[in-house]
Amino acid sequence: MPLDVKGDDGKPVIPEDAHVRLASATENDGVRILRRGYSFTDGVDQSLGELEAGLFFIAFQRDPEKQFVALQRKLGQFDALNEYIQHVGSALFLCPPGLPAGTTWAEQLFGV
């Protein structure tokens, strides 16, 4: 559903604090990331008697500061899902392009 659709009350059908709205490229000056979530379960927390479950999240982007960090700051401040989210950890990995013949990783990554 397009983000600009309004209900009979004149309010957006997709709320202003909805995750899908806050993370959309149209609401972030075209900033987008390629992202995918993977659900997991890890048994039962014996102290609570509740299922240990969650979502692993993987994202690809060219500039983590301008893309991922900017989006996460916005989501962290306004996302209605925040009451259900517990951040446990994160990591950043570099996926360089292939090497042209006769070059080294140092040359490719650092211009050395």
Side-chain angles (χ1 to χ4, degrees), residues 6-108:
K6 297 197 185 312
D8 294 336
D9 59 2
K11 294 181 181 178
V13 173
I14 298 175
E16 298 291 334
D17 62 353
H19 184 88
V20 68
R21 175 182 293 280
L22 293 169
S24 75
T26 58
E27 296 286 318
N28 291 288
D29 298 321
V31 170
R32 66 179 65 219
I33 59 176
L34 176 61
R35 57 192 182 267
R36 175 80 160 97
Y38 296 91
S39 299
F40 73 90
T41 57
D42 195 23
V44 175
D45 180 333
Q46 296 300 322
S47 66
L48 300 173
E50 296 179 356
L51 187 64
E52 283 284 341
L55 182 73
F56 290 119
F57 180 89
I58 186 171
F60 299 91
Q61 62 269 316
R62 290 188 185 276
D63 187 333
E65 183 67 31
K66 290 181 181 174
Q67 293 169 280
F68 184 74
V69 173
L71 289 174
Q72 286 305 113
R73 284 188 177 133
K74 187 173 185 179
L75 292 170
Q77 189 173 4
F78 301 111
D79 195 345
L81 289 177
N82 286 339
E83 68 179 290
Y84 306 105
I85 296 171
Q86 178 183 10
H87 180 261
V88 177
S90 60
L92 183 66
F93 299 92
L94 174 68
C95 298
L99 290 175
T103 63
T104 66
W105 285 112
E107 291 170 324
Q108 184 74 3

